[in-house]
Amino acid sequence: MTPTDLAEPFRVLVVCTGNICRSPAVERLLAAGLGAAYRGRDVGGLAPAIEVGSAGTGALVGYPMTDEMAEMVAAQGVEPRGFEARQLVPALVQQADLVLALTRRHRSTIVEMVPSAVRRTFTLRELARLVADVDPATLPGANATTADRVRTLVPVAASRRGLMAHRPVDDDVVDPYRGDAALYRKSFDQLLPAVETIVAAVRR
């Protein structure tokens, strides 16, 4: 076993309310985009460089991803099965290197729970906005791992807070739970571009 095998992975935690719609979708889509592990995913026995997980502030513990959201995740060629919701607890935030909330309210709850996490906690769409035009030269070069680039991206994004004019509501992803197909589509169409922007920022 090499030192790389023993290295701690870069941990991403995605947070919404019930942990059955928005955050599991982001967990699976982001993990796929970054080539990361998630709970239940076999990475061939190797220690993953990046782990993506999720939790809910009022989780429906043990429930799977909703069928509506799972269908849209699967349509992107990403596996939605094998997911079980879990409750957000301080230890999950403390262990995470990057925390992605689905709304500003979730972000506030996370920071109230673990104040030291403030500079590594963003809403999903906020992080996408902050990194959309980051100069690739500010990140590690072509020989760096994706984990190295994501790790560097976090303080870069934090340093850009307050520098861009935006509507606060644009940092939120609408909750589709118990909504109709149109609401699920609206939610997915808000979260998917944000995931793609973050992935592109570290893959470009």
Side-chain angles (χ1 to χ4, degrees):
M1 186 173 288
T2 68
T4 300
D5 293 328
L6 296 172
E8 283 292 309
F10 182 91
R11 293 187 173 92
V12 182
L13 177 67
V14 189
V15 177
C16 72
T17 304
N19 193 213
I20 58 171
C21 300
R22 294 167 290 177
S23 57
V26 174
E27 171 192 308
R28 295 303 173 89
L29 293 166
L30 188 61
L34 297 176
Y38 55 76
R39 283 181 296 151
R41 182 180 186 184
D42 182 4
V43 290
L46 299 175
I50 305 173
E51 288 181 353
V52 184
S54 62
T57 58
L60 296 173
V61 176
Y63 278 58
M65 195 184 314
T66 61
D67 290 342
E68 297 90 341
M69 193 63 82
E71 287 176 7
M72 287 186 283
V73 169
Q76 298 297 313
V78 175
E79 177 59 70
R81 293 175 299 181
F83 178 84
E84 293 186 1
R86 61 178 174 174
Q87 178 63 33
L88 180 70
V89 294
L92 291 175
V93 179
Q94 291 162 350
Q95 294 163 6
D97 299 291
L98 170 62
V99 187
L100 295 175
L102 271 295
T103 69
R104 290 163 291 153
R105 178 172 292 182
H106 295 129
R107 184 183 61 195
S108 295
T109 298
I110 293 160
V111 173
E112 287 170 6
M113 182 180 287
V114 182
S116 62
V118 63
R119 286 188 59 80
R120 63 179 191 274
T121 301
F122 307 81
T123 76
L124 174 74
R125 297 179 77 189
E126 175 192 18
L127 182 62
R129 172 171 52 80
L130 293 171
V131 305
D133 62 351
V134 164
D135 183 349
T138 64
L139 303 181
N143 294 328
T145 66
T146 301
D148 292 335
R149 293 171 69 81
V150 178
R151 193 181 301 277
T152 303
L153 193 68
V154 175
V156 170
S159 71
R160 306 186 86 195
R161 277 178 166 153
L163 301 180
M164 299 177 178
H166 72 288
R167 297 187 309 163
V169 70
D170 289 339
D171 284 345
D172 295 344
V173 172
V174 66
D175 186 359
Y177 183 54
R178 293 180 174 170
D180 59 14
L183 188 59
Y184 266 93
R185 174 51 60 184
K186 179 178 180 180
S187 181
F188 194 76
D189 287 349
Q190 289 177 340
L191 67 84
L192 178 61
V195 170
E196 292 174 337
T197 297
I198 294 166
V199 170
V202 296
R203 292 284 200 176
R204 64 168 69 111

